[in-house]
Amino acid sequence: NAGPAVYQVSHQPSIPAANQAVVVTARVHDPSGVQSLVLNYRIGASTTYTSVPMKDDGTGGDAIAGDGIFSATIPGQAASVLVAFYVSATDSKLATTRFPALLNNGAPVPECVVMFGDSNPSGSFPVYHLWVTQVNVNRWVQLSDLSNEAHDCTIVCGSRVIYNAQARYAGSPYHQNFNTPTGNLCHYKWIFPDDDKFLGATSFNKLHQPGNGAGDDTSIQREQIANTFLRALGVPWLYRHYVAVYVNGVR
């Protein structure tokens, strides 16, 4: 007897302001019937989870009773506070499921992440947010710049929220000397779940500061113009576009 299927998990608002409550929603199904669906969240570096029943009765943040979408609320937090959470479900035969699912690779336990009060500037450039728990930041820092070990994270762009994504540095022997994922200018590789692609892709390799070395193109335009010429000439070229990237609130 498998546990319930938990799917379409999300939170709103996707980028909450400081002290703004967040509603986590999910759908769940089990042929044996669902006994409970619970939101478990922890604040900052705390290892203690608060458990809140997810409801579909129009209370506790649930918008519409009986619509199949279960909801629970995380109280608003101060700016820059990260909250990690997961959803657990139990069916009538006591089989359980966890979202995100546990891994067996020795990595930290995967969690969904939401950050309060992150910057979200207006303009024509998309804004990408990478949220990583302190546990995963510590693991990231301990590995070498050229490590291919990825770290569990949440990626947000506008209203799009992608949990259980993976991130690491992208580089080569020339592209390193990074200190932390929120420190000096660096390059990233982001990997999306196979069933939750972003812009039709499962991998962004790579998110790169303009220039050959990070930030060494002070015009911020050389490679973009070069690829425009290559495309016009009908030879292989790279599709690139400008984005604003924030990692745990740091641009």
Side-chain angles (χ1 to χ4, degrees):
N1 175 44
V6 180
Y7 58 104
Q8 292 183 8
V9 179
S10 190
H11 70 263
Q12 291 296 328
S14 56
I15 308 170
N19 301 312
Q20 183 178 19
V22 168
V23 176
V24 177
T25 57
R27 291 184 181 270
V28 61
H29 174 75
D30 191 292
S32 302
V34 178
Q35 177 174 291
S36 67
L37 187 66
V38 178
L39 169 68
N40 306 275
Y41 69 88
R42 62 181 184 84
I43 300 172
S46 172
T47 58
T48 301
Y49 288 93
T50 299
S51 298
V52 183
M54 299 187 74
K55 301 179 180 180
D56 186 21
D57 61 2
T59 66
D62 186 57
I64 303 174
D67 65 349
I69 300 176
F70 290 76
S71 309
T73 299
I74 298 174
Q77 305 293 322
S80 301
V81 170
L82 286 169
V83 173
F85 66 89
Y86 68 93
V87 175
S88 56
T90 304
D91 70 10
S92 61
K93 297 181 179 180
L94 303 183
T96 61
T97 304
R98 183 190 191 279
F99 178 91
L102 294 174
L103 304 174
N104 295 315
N105 61 358
V109 173
E111 298 169 294
C112 307
V113 186
V114 56
M115 183 175 187
F116 290 80
D118 202 353
S119 299
N120 198 35
S122 60
S124 60
F125 295 166
V127 182
Y128 293 173
H129 299 267
L130 181 76
W131 295 332
V132 190
T133 64
Q134 189 60 51
V135 170
N136 278 296
V137 169
N138 294 342
R139 176 175 182 258
W140 193 332
V141 171
Q142 290 169 0
L143 297 173
S144 74
D145 289 353
L146 299 181
S147 171
N148 287 330
E149 291 288 334
H151 312 278
D152 184 72
C153 61
T154 294
I155 295 171
V156 176
C157 179
S159 61
R160 182 71 187 279
V161 179
I162 302 174
Y163 304 120
N164 215 195
Q166 303 285 307
R168 63 173 174 82
Y169 294 132
S172 66
Y174 175 79
H175 296 264
Q176 46 181 321
N177 298 318
F178 312 138
N179 51 9
T180 74
T182 59
N184 58 10
L185 295 181
C186 54
H187 314 137
Y188 304 100
K189 178 174 182 176
W190 292 358
I191 305 166
F192 306 99
D194 290 342
D195 61 352
D196 203 2
K197 296 178 181 179
F198 186 48
L199 300 181
T202 57
S203 174
F204 279 8
N205 185 21
K206 53 194 167 179
L207 284 87
H208 194 310
Q209 285 282 336
N212 189 33
D216 68 4
D217 177 6
T218 55
S219 73
I220 320 180
Q221 298 180 73
R222 287 197 312 242
E223 280 191 278
Q224 204 79 356
I225 292 173
N227 279 288
T228 300
F229 289 165
L230 293 171
R231 182 181 184 183
L233 289 168
V235 298
W237 58 284
L238 293 177
Y239 174 73
R240 298 166 54 91
H241 67 265
Y242 292 113
V243 295
V245 177
Y246 287 84
V247 180
N248 280 5
V250 178
R251 185 163 183 176

